[in-house]
Amino acid sequence: MNDRQENILTVNGLSVSYGKFQAVQNVSFSVLKGEIFGLLGPNGAGKTSTLSALEGLLKPQSGSIVIDGYDAGEKPLYARASLGVQLQSTSFQPELFVIEVLELYAGIYGLTLTRNQILAILGEISLEDQAFKKFGQLSGGQQQRVSLVIATIHNPKLVLLDEPTTGLDPQSRRQLWERIEAIREKGHAVLLTTHSMEEAESVCDRIAIIDHGRVIAVDTPQALIDKHRADPEVISVSRRGKITLEDVFIALTGKTVRA
Ligand SMILES: Nc1ncnc2c1ncn2[C@@H]1O[C@H](COP(=O)(O)OP(=O)(O)O)[C@@H](O)[C@H]1O
Ligand SMILES: [Mg+2]
């Protein structure tokens, strides 16, 4: 397979450590153009650390990251030009009007958008009526919708989302998935982390299950279910008479709740 044409992201042997602690160990996976790829794992599995290395916020101890054909170690600016990253809502200035926050980030990405275009973008996330409210006065879910729309405002080839649906109400969650699917329709890709197995099963084209810093399985949700449906451990944790991705996940990562 021609890497440049098919993969928007190739991660090979990635390790990340905090001092002596290895949070990510020899992780490899790739994301295809037009794919929604889910990173699933219990708390502390190493999902955020992996995304931070892709974003360039953490320097990997070893391994390679290739984004849109550019090695992130050798050509970091070219590699990261293809990325859209969801920032924490605390990264935004609470005293700015919502419309100003969008104008600011559009400017940072080099876009020249008119006020009407920005209002239209706010309309896509049902926040046009809040345009002249201070960012800090929005609810948590509304702030999260703004941070998500900013992650995609420059039409990036690969969007990285860390637990994008955590804390969203069902309507906002539905809207988010529609936005994510619209990205896929453009042939662009999304790499996200989630705790929701139901979402992963219904929306992700492929997933990687990660635990203790290591990838333990990569496949389509259905292939993972099919592969493990006869495992005694999977059958023993299954509660609904039908094997789900959650059953496979629990069987592979264990029942112990992580701190
Ligand atoms: N800044 C840090 N310093 C030290 N250890 C960290 C730091 N950030 C995360 N860790 C540890 O690295 C491991 C992976 O964390 P993280 O990548 O945040 O997991 P996840 O996002 O899957 O919940 C955890 O054991 C966590 O405690
Ligand atoms: Mg995390």
Side-chain angles (χ1 to χ4, degrees), residues 47-58:
K47 305 179 296 294
T48 299
S49 302
T50 301
L51 291 191
S52 299
L54 300 180
E55 290 160 12
L57 300 175
L58 278 178

Side-chain angles (χ1 to χ4, degrees), residues 1-255:
M1 186 160 62
N2 183 332
D3 189 72
R4 232 165 226 274
Q5 279 175 3
E6 300 296 336
N7 286 2
I8 186 68
L9 172 70
T10 311
V11 176
N12 203 355
L14 181 72
S15 295
V16 173
S17 59
Y18 300 102
K20 285 191 183 151
F21 177 70
Q22 269 217 312
V24 177
Q25 301 181 47
N26 198 25
V27 160
S28 302
F29 65 94
S30 55
V31 177
L32 301 170
K33 289 179 181 171
E35 185 169 58
I36 301 175
F37 192 97
L39 217 46
L40 272 58
N43 288 335
K47 305 179 296 294
T48 299
S49 302
T50 301
L51 291 191
S52 299
L54 300 180
E55 290 160 12
L57 300 175
L58 278 178
K59 193 171 154 43
Q61 189 184 21
S62 56
S64 76
I65 296 167
V66 177
I67 305 169
D68 198 25
Y70 293 106
D71 186 298
E74 291 164 12
K75 298 251 184 209
L77 295 180
Y78 286 103
R80 301 214 162 87
S82 304
L83 288 187
V85 174
Q86 178 198 3
L87 299 168
Q88 304 281 325
S89 359
T90 48
S91 318
F92 302 108
Q93 293 85 334
E95 291 302 317
L96 290 183
F97 288 134
V98 174
I99 191 160
E100 292 174 327
V101 173
L102 264 76
E103 281 170 346
L104 176 66
Y105 279 86
I108 288 173
Y109 286 122
L111 306 172
T112 43
L113 299 177
T114 63
R115 276 232 147 158
N116 279 340
Q117 285 172 316
I118 300 232
L119 284 170
I121 292 170
L122 281 172
E124 288 171 27
I125 52 168
S126 316
L127 287 179
E128 64 272 50
D129 294 344
Q130 317 287 326
F132 293 96
K133 211 171 191 182
K134 289 194 174 162
F135 181 79
Q137 290 171 347
L138 296 181
S139 71
Q142 290 173 331
Q143 292 187 351
Q144 200 167 346
R145 272 144 62 195
V146 173
S147 82
L148 282 160
V149 89
I150 287 172
T152 54
I153 202 167
H154 56 307
N155 201 14
K157 290 181 185 169
L158 175 64
V159 185
L160 306 181
L161 305 173
D162 200 358
E163 296 188 26
T165 53
T166 302
L168 292 184
D169 63 26
Q171 285 83 358
S172 307
R173 192 178 284 243
R174 186 67 60 90
Q175 191 181 64
L176 171 74
W177 287 116
E178 282 169 8
R179 289 188 67 77
I180 288 176
E181 284 172 344
I183 295 169
R184 173 168 61 188
E185 272 153 34
K186 284 185 197 155
H188 293 184
V190 179
L191 170 60
L192 57 91
T193 71
T194 180
H195 284 293
S196 166
M197 298 297 142
E198 235 181 308
E199 274 173 6
E201 203 174 328
S202 65
V203 183
C204 294
D205 298 304
R206 285 191 307 143
I207 57 172
I209 296 180
I210 170 168
D211 198 14
H212 301 296
R214 294 179 187 276
V215 171
I216 53 178
V218 182
D219 219 323
T220 65
Q222 192 57 51
L224 282 173
I225 294 168
D226 291 343
K227 188 171 167 199
H228 293 282
R229 73 165 66 250
D231 293 1
E233 181 63 18
V234 173
I235 291 164
S236 84
V237 298
S238 171
R239 311 181 59 172
R240 298 174 205 160
K242 172 178 172 267
I243 305 290
T244 63
L245 185 62
E246 182 163 290
D247 300 328
V248 174
F249 179 84
I250 299 275
L252 290 177
T253 60
K255 287 183 201 162

